[in-house]
Amino acid sequence: MTGNDAYYGGVDPRHAGGPVSRATFERDLVNMILFDDRILLSDSIFFNNPTVLEHVRAARDAPSLFEHAIMRGIVTPTVREPVDSFADIARYVRRYELLGALPPGEVEELAARYSVAPGQFVLWPERMGDRYLHLLTTQLSDPVLPPRYAGSLIDDETWRATEWLRREVIAEAVDVERGRTGSGVRRGEIVKVVARIMGVLPYDPSALDTHAVFAAIAEHDPRREAVRNFFDWIDDLWHFNQASAFSVKPQLSAANPGSLALVPSPGLSSDPQPGAATWQFTAEERIPRFDVLMALGPNRLFELRDYGHEWAAASRALVNLPPDTPPTVVDTMRQRAERSLHEYARRINRATRAAAPKELLIVEGAVNVASAPVVTAIGELTAWRMSLVPLHSFLSIGAFGWWAFKFFANSTRKDTVQITRRPAGIVEFPTSPRA
């Protein structure tokens, strides 16, 4: 799939809520490969994520799915200085004391595994710290809760409780950065100031991250919840700042849904652009669970991705229709996008059926007959990992009664994915709940 549907990844492994699980990471990775054009990731994400390290090590001597995505240009690293390799990034990870870097040995291990085509690195625009400071000032500096946040999950009490963080902490971090570079602010410096004030600053600053700071704060400390909210806000605003700098869509973690109210809207601009598209495409399809898809192997998974060109083009054409498009045209385009997505999902399902053992096919047949419930909660995927059942077991299914049939029917290896495509703005697929 090609086009201008890249987004900036917001799955921060060092979020105050803690690292995502390997299952969550791999589910999002599979969904991204199948349904998105490409994702931009900050250089730090490649070296501060214990979940990524676990995923890479699980592949042993073969490249992991994440490594394949990098090599194929679907995952694109963004870097803060010109580099020729991941080894170059590893060298400045420690020099810059990037937020939550893994121990040096693990950083070097990952750098040796990652491989990227020449020229694939995307250099950060200049004055990123200035842009971030402007965003923080605009969204967080009001002494009272701004009317624009009315109706959100942020209330007056939460806003008052975070005032010292929004004003004093950010001001101190700005002073530090001004002495270092002359302007702007770094998220890592803000976190360090909070850690020092809370008395939990680690001996090694490079080991610092929002999750470690939050976890170190005593549970009875009345400031703890304010710190968590503040970390959620500065994290999501940081990701929005990165996305807007690269003119792509931000994908926010939404670990704290209230923080989404802070993100400027619509799109990547504070104001709608003349003639901007306003249509949205949302659809649900049932596809095999992510671990079933991963079992196909990276090469087959990327072959399946190639079948998604038609639905991607159809949905892109829909969301980019002019606002004054006649409703009949919109309906026709929407139906075309839905049909092409459904056909794409059928191809994915057929691929897994062809690769599955005979026993699994029988279980899926029972699921189809019984119309097993669809998982509607995005990201909260079923945890069934049933053993394969021999054919002769099904020959006596009548003896077990209806309850046995229902048990096997509900032991589905499929999940529902919801895909939302917008012309600009927050990408709502895939979501990444903390696990």
Side-chain angles (χ1 to χ4, degrees):
M1 285 177 280
T2 58
N4 190 28
D5 288 302
Y7 63 86
Y8 201 93
V11 183
D12 191 335
R14 298 295 186 159
H15 194 283
V20 298
S21 68
R22 177 180 158 193
T24 298
F25 170 79
E26 291 178 345
R27 185 204 68 220
D28 289 351
L29 180 61
V30 168
N31 288 341
M32 180 269 294
I33 288 171
L34 292 176
F35 296 103
D36 284 295
D37 275 10
R38 67 184 181 122
I39 179 173
L40 275 64
L41 289 179
S42 174
D43 46 14
S44 60
I45 299 287
F46 294 89
F47 296 107
N48 70 356
N49 192 332
T51 305
V52 169
L53 179 64
E54 181 185 359
H55 167 81
V56 169
R57 282 177 170 173
R60 305 196 179 207
D61 296 332
S64 65
L65 185 59
F66 184 62
E67 292 169 84
H68 273 277
I70 297 171
M71 290 186 287
R72 294 169 187 260
I74 298 170
V75 170
T76 300
T78 65
V79 294
R80 57 199 79 200
E81 65 179 45
V83 297
D84 294 320
S85 68
F86 277 100
D88 293 337
I89 301 177
R91 280 190 282 273
Y92 74 61
V93 161
R94 299 289 290 184
R95 187 170 78 247
Y96 286 159
E97 295 183 352
L98 297 186
L99 198 64
L102 294 167
E106 295 177 352
V107 168
E108 293 171 3
E109 177 185 348
L110 288 170
R113 300 244 348 199
Y114 294 147
S115 177
V116 66
Q120 188 177 319
F121 297 105
V122 177
L123 190 63
W124 284 21
E126 295 183 353
R127 308 186 73 84
M128 289 285 279
D130 291 342
R131 295 169 59 100
Y132 185 43
L133 176 57
H134 175 74
L135 190 60
L136 291 173
T137 302
T138 301
Q139 303 303 108
L140 297 180
S141 63
D142 292 83
V144 296
L145 186 66
R148 63 181 179 274
Y149 300 152
S152 72
L153 297 180
I154 303 174
D155 55 25
D156 290 319
E157 182 179 354
T158 300
W159 196 252
R160 286 193 299 270
T162 57
E163 181 176 7
W164 65 279
L165 293 154
R166 294 182 290 105
R167 299 171 69 85
E168 297 169 20
V169 166
I170 291 177
E172 184 173 336
V174 168
D175 288 341
V176 172
E177 194 63 23
R178 185 177 293 121
R180 177 184 300 157
T181 63
S183 64
V185 70
R186 294 171 62 237
R187 180 179 53 159
E189 195 58 53
I190 296 175
V191 175
K192 287 180 187 178
V193 173
V194 174
R196 181 185 56 76
I197 292 175
M198 301 301 294
V200 294
L201 185 66
Y203 176 76
D204 181 5
S206 68
L208 188 68
D209 59 67
T210 51
H211 173 56
V213 172
F214 177 74
I217 299 173
E219 292 190 7
H220 63 269
D221 193 313
R223 300 169 295 177
R224 194 170 191 261
E225 189 60 27
V227 169
R228 182 188 182 107
N229 285 321
F230 179 66
F231 281 167
D232 285 342
W233 298 347
I234 66 171
D235 282 347
D236 280 342
L237 289 173
W238 184 88
H239 285 105
F240 179 86
N241 181 59
Q242 298 289 110
S244 61
F246 291 103
S247 299
V248 298
K249 298 181 286 289
Q251 184 222 348
L252 306 182
S253 65
N256 179 350
S259 67
L260 298 182
L262 299 170
V263 176
S265 180
L268 302 179
S269 173
S270 58
D271 299 300
Q273 299 301 311
T278 57
W279 305 105
Q280 177 175 313
F281 173 74
T282 301
E284 290 186 357
E285 286 292 342
R286 298 197 64 195
I287 63 172
R289 208 175 58 209
F290 77 93
D291 55 337
V292 177
L293 289 166
M294 284 194 65
L296 295 175
N299 291 333
R300 183 64 178 127
L301 200 57
F302 284 104
E303 288 177 6
L304 289 175
R305 170 186 167 88
D306 291 337
Y307 290 119
H309 288 295
E310 184 176 346
W311 97 264
S315 60
R316 189 180 302 118
L318 169 66
V319 300
N320 286 300
L321 287 173
D324 57 353
T325 302
T328 54
V329 175
V330 175
D331 288 342
T332 299
M333 297 290 286
R334 188 182 305 279
Q335 290 171 14
R336 178 189 168 200
E338 290 173 348
R339 285 196 304 268
S340 57
L341 176 60
H342 182 66
E343 179 57 31
Y344 181 38
R346 286 182 62 190
R347 280 183 174 270
I348 295 172
N349 286 322
R350 285 199 299 266
T352 53
R353 285 198 295 269
K358 184 176 181 181
E359 293 87 350
L360 179 59
L361 288 174
I362 297 170
V363 176
E364 287 195 339
V367 170
N368 292 335
V369 172
S371 299
V374 169
V375 180
T376 56
I378 308 305
E380 295 187 8
L381 304 181
T382 176
W384 284 107
R385 292 182 182 272
M386 62 175 298
S387 302
L388 299 181
V389 182
L391 176 59
H392 66 267
S393 296
F394 281 91
L395 299 179
S396 58
I397 191 170
F400 290 97
W402 171 248
W403 66 268
F405 179 79
K406 187 175 181 180
F407 171 82
F408 286 113
N410 290 335
S411 299
T412 177
R413 293 175 69 88
K414 290 184 181 179
D415 290 306
T416 295
V417 292
Q418 184 183 68
I419 303 160
T420 299
R421 185 183 289 280
R422 295 179 176 179
I426 298 172
V427 172
E428 297 182 3
F429 169 84
T431 53
S432 301
R434 302 289 149 185

